[in-house]
Amino acid sequence: VLIDRNLATVGTLDAAQMVRNTPVLAEVPVAPLLQPQEENLLKQCRALGYSPILKPVTPNSLVREVSNILGLGATASLTQSDVAGNEEALLEIIAGSEVLLVEDTPFNQEIATEFFNQANVKVTLAQNGAEALGQLEKAHFDLVFMDCQMPVMDGFEATKRIREKPEIATTVVIAMTANAMKGDKERCIAAGMDDYLSKPIVRENLYSTMARWLSGEATSKRTKADSAVPEESVNETSADELPVFDAELALERAGDNEDLLEELVSRFEQENSDVIDRILDALDAEDRETAHRLAHTVKGMAASLAGAEVERTAGILEEALASGAVSTQIERHVCSLDTALTCLLNELKSEQGEYQ
């Protein structure tokens, strides 16, 4: 018998005792659903022989907990060995879950939403950390996918505030971070994030990460004593070795959805036709923060479209701006990005017939 914590007319322990006093239910296990911070009530329940289950629960975690209470062990739950490389098994675990996607870039929103829709996952969008906090106060989500760099309130600050609020402190927060940004992953762990995915998001990685958390197989990286995370530096591959545009990889990153890829290509062209001018205007105004944000956005969009050279040069510019490089270095990196971006835009224009 599962007993919710917040009953309208009777307390949790009273309801549990009423079940015990009912002859036909006297031997049936009783499992109150409690919040982790209710330590006294947890102790009381265990002392009285009840089997409390901690909220929040997901369909798969509930099956696992009930199975353990009934002595069925892991037989009713899929483990990592069951789902490794098996998309059908992954989808079985994650279908029907509810996630909050905290992402300010429409380009990235569309790709992630497509992946969630393909898996029958209900997704709610928040444009920044402040909106995410508001959504979490109104509704429960099985997982939160948090972009790190956003205006108004970034993902680091939002996660810190989540951990400070008892009612949502146990929320699983998974960072979405560009793996080329040095130190981002350590910052994720320090901010209280439980896990992270590197951008561009790969569908299989997204699903397997979701499955690990929803099945209870995952362990928060912020709880580990050794939280040092190996970082990947900006791709140092020679420009001569990088493709301008990889159409096959771009389609894969769009979830094999040709209509979505066509829309992403069009959006990329529209949003980046004058981005170099906007970066230069920001630098002329000594607004390196805006220039940094523009370079970061271009890098992420190019990565999702498999435009490797633009991703590389935008990443170099982004890091140079973040590290306070001198103006002459910044100008050189802007020129490199301009050249790479012109090549990519020309390539997309020539390839556009493939998606029409």
Side-chain angles (χ1 to χ4, degrees):
V1 177
L2 302 178
I3 301 177
D4 193 21
R5 173 68 180 90
N6 298 312
L7 300 177
T9 59
V10 63
T12 303
L13 294 179
D14 291 336
Q17 191 59 51
M18 290 169 62
V19 172
R20 280 280 174 84
N21 292 339
T22 303
V24 294
L25 298 175
E27 302 300 321
V28 176
V30 177
L33 304 176
L34 306 179
Q35 297 289 348
Q37 62 268 24
E38 297 177 309
E39 295 181 5
N40 290 335
L41 188 55
L42 281 167
K43 291 178 181 178
Q44 286 180 277
C45 286
R46 288 170 179 146
L48 293 169
Y50 305 136
S51 303
I53 294 175
L54 297 183
K55 290 183 174 182
V57 296
T58 64
N60 205 264
S61 69
L62 185 59
V63 168
R64 187 185 66 255
E65 293 290 345
V66 171
S67 298
N68 289 336
I69 292 171
L70 296 177
L72 300 178
T75 57
S77 177
L78 290 171
T79 65
Q80 278 300 99
S81 59
D82 296 321
V83 302
N86 185 342
E87 185 165 300
E88 184 176 341
L90 293 174
L91 293 176
E92 182 178 338
I93 293 174
I94 69 179
S97 59
E98 299 188 18
V99 303
L100 177 63
L101 173 63
V102 192
E103 168 66 63
D104 66 309
T105 306
F107 195 91
N108 294 330
Q109 289 175 0
E110 290 186 45
I111 294 173
T113 298
E114 171 67 16
F115 290 164
F116 290 133
N117 288 341
Q118 288 180 3
N120 194 28
V121 171
K122 182 179 179 181
V123 57
T124 299
L125 293 175
Q127 301 287 339
N128 54 61
E131 286 190 15
L133 291 172
Q135 292 285 359
L136 287 167
E137 290 174 357
K138 295 187 296 184
H140 164 73
F141 297 95
D142 298 313
L143 300 170
V144 174
F145 288 90
M146 184 79 73
D147 187 26
C148 292
Q149 300 187 40
M150 296 176 290
V152 183
M153 183 188 292
D154 65 25
F156 304 115
E157 179 62 25
T159 304
K160 288 178 182 177
R161 296 197 186 188
I162 288 171
R163 300 305 176 212
E164 292 169 356
K165 294 177 177 289
E167 64 274 17
I168 57 174
T170 59
T171 302
V172 176
V173 179
I174 300 172
M176 300 185 298
T177 179
N179 59 13
M181 284 305 294
K182 296 176 181 177
D184 259 11
K185 291 180 180 177
E186 284 93 342
R187 288 185 68 194
C188 292
I189 303 307
M193 296 177 181
D194 297 286
D195 208 343
Y196 43 75
L197 283 170
S198 294
K199 289 183 178 180
I201 301 300
V202 177
R203 180 171 52 187
E204 182 180 348
N205 293 346
L206 174 65
Y207 291 171
S208 61
T209 298
M210 291 182 68
R212 284 192 300 107
W213 283 101
L214 295 174
S215 65
E217 294 288 328
T219 302
S220 176
K221 291 178 171 57
R222 64 189 170 96
T223 64
K224 296 180 180 179
D226 180 12
S227 60
V229 183
E231 290 291 339
E232 300 178 42
S233 60
V234 172
N235 191 343
E236 297 294 339
T237 305
S238 167
D240 294 335
E241 301 174 21
L242 292 173
V244 175
F245 174 62
D246 186 331
E248 184 176 342
L249 182 56
L251 182 59
E252 179 182 325
R253 289 180 176 176
D256 297 315
N257 184 329
E258 292 187 359
D259 290 337
L260 175 60
L261 179 56
E262 180 182 349
E263 184 178 341
L264 294 175
V265 167
S266 177
R267 183 185 290 275
F268 184 90
E269 292 173 332
Q270 292 171 8
E271 295 190 10
N272 293 294
S273 60
D274 66 343
V275 71
I276 298 298
D277 290 336
R278 285 183 283 140
I279 290 174
L280 291 173
D281 288 344
L283 292 172
D284 288 342
E286 299 184 355
D287 184 1
R288 286 199 171 198
E289 182 178 349
T290 295
H292 179 271
R293 186 173 67 251
L294 289 169
H296 173 76
T297 300
V298 172
K299 181 187 70 175
M301 294 176 73
S304 296
L305 270 188
E309 177 59 6
V310 171
E311 178 188 1
R312 186 185 76 88
T313 53
I316 291 173
L317 174 59
E318 179 187 19
E319 285 202 358
L321 288 164
S323 63
V326 298
S327 297
T328 53
Q329 291 178 319
I330 298 297
E331 290 171 4
R332 186 170 68 251
H333 296 322
V334 172
C335 288
S336 296
L337 175 58
D338 189 17
T339 300
L341 186 57
T342 298
C343 291
L344 178 57
L345 290 171
N346 289 337
E347 184 75 12
L348 292 176
K349 190 171 293 185
S350 67
E351 292 273 352
Q352 206 163 24
E354 295 292 328
Y355 313 110
Q356 294 178 345

